[in-house]
Amino acid sequence: MDHVRGTAAATADEHLIGEAEKIAVALGRMFPGLCEVVLHDLRDPQHAIRAIENNLSGRRAGDSATELGLARIADPQYPSVIQNYPNRFPDGRPAKSTSIGIKNSAGEYIAALCLNLDVSVLSPVTLALANLVATDTEQGEQALETLRDRNARELRQTVETLAAERGGTPRSLGREAKRTLVRQLHTDGYFDSRDAAQAIADLLGVSRATVYNYTK
């Protein structure tokens, strides 16, 4: 009975993601050259990108989840909609992003639909577009995620490898083992990215402040 129930749930999840994929494709094709639309399958974070329409970031299907995706996987209470936050494409172009988490009937995040608007082509057009290119001030200047795959994937693999060398998973390690792991990451230069501390915190199941304390 449990097997049947599990199979039905998996089928329902796949159907939900399939419907979301239709929306991603339609939205991307409505704004060619302007708005990248990405559907992340959070059931497989290492190969999360299910569809990417109007590709502006250089990522591809099968690439890993971003920091927001990892945060939703770790915490079902993470906000379902993060709207109009400042972002940046790998080549430096400014972007305005919105991320929509998609939950199944069990309340688990199984997907995320993300829109990344290239505001660099809009902002010079006219002052009338000021509201369109504006980002929410409450998000501040700190980027919530990076629109590239390599750094997040490499960091995750490194953390998992270092944890395995210590006989556990990143979240199962004791405090001192996590401290040692973080110090090694710091020595190896993984904190050069301003997003790294939060990504490491999500992987280890600790706060960003704790990660910084571990580096001291």
Side-chain angles (χ1 to χ4, degrees):
M1 181 65 70
D2 288 342
H3 174 72
V4 173
R5 188 179 296 113
T7 300
T11 300
D13 288 354
E14 181 62 30
H15 175 75
L16 188 60
I17 293 177
E19 292 299 299
E21 186 170 355
K22 295 178 186 177
I23 297 172
V25 172
L27 286 174
R29 293 180 181 179
M30 187 173 180
F31 302 102
L34 184 62
C35 185
E36 175 185 83
V37 184
V38 187
L39 178 65
H40 297 270
D41 184 343
L42 300 183
R43 300 172 301 175
D44 185 10
Q46 292 189 4
H47 308 91
I49 294 184
R50 170 79 169 252
I52 181 165
E53 191 69 28
N54 197 23
N55 193 330
L56 299 176
S57 64
R59 294 172 294 171
R60 62 185 184 275
D63 278 350
S64 57
T66 65
E67 293 88 337
L68 283 182
L70 295 177
R72 287 195 172 107
I73 293 171
D75 181 10
Q77 301 306 314
Y78 197 86
S80 59
V81 178
I82 306 293
Q83 187 134 25
N84 297 339
Y85 58 90
N87 216 331
R88 193 165 294 275
F89 291 108
D91 61 4
R93 285 173 297 158
K96 170 183 173 181
S97 297
T98 289
S99 177
I100 306 165
I102 299 172
K103 290 183 177 181
N104 61 13
S105 59
E108 304 164 329
Y109 280 116
I110 59 169
L113 183 63
C114 302
L115 295 83
N116 303 307
L117 182 69
D118 182 358
V119 298
S120 69
V121 300
L122 291 177
S123 53
V125 176
T126 174
L127 291 177
L129 293 175
N131 288 333
L132 180 62
V133 302
T135 57
D136 286 349
T137 56
E138 66 183 31
Q139 300 295 343
E141 294 300 320
Q142 181 178 347
L144 293 178
E145 61 179 339
T146 49
L147 297 178
R148 61 176 66 89
D149 175 72
R150 183 186 60 82
N151 286 346
R153 175 188 296 168
E154 180 181 339
L155 177 59
R156 185 185 310 110
Q157 291 176 342
T158 299
V159 170
E160 291 174 349
T161 298
L162 292 175
E165 291 173 354
R166 291 161 173 79
T169 64
R171 287 176 173 259
S172 71
L173 294 177
R175 179 182 300 177
E176 289 307 314
K178 288 181 179 180
R179 184 190 302 274
T180 302
L181 186 152
V182 168
R183 286 180 175 175
Q184 183 169 343
L185 291 173
H186 189 266
T187 300
D188 293 345
Y190 281 93
F191 280 74
D192 292 345
S193 168
R194 64 180 179 177
D195 306 306
Q198 186 59 58
I200 293 168
D202 292 338
L203 289 167
L204 295 180
V206 299
S207 68
R208 181 185 176 117
T210 297
V211 167
Y212 280 120
N213 286 334
Y214 284 167
T215 65
K216 299 176 181 178

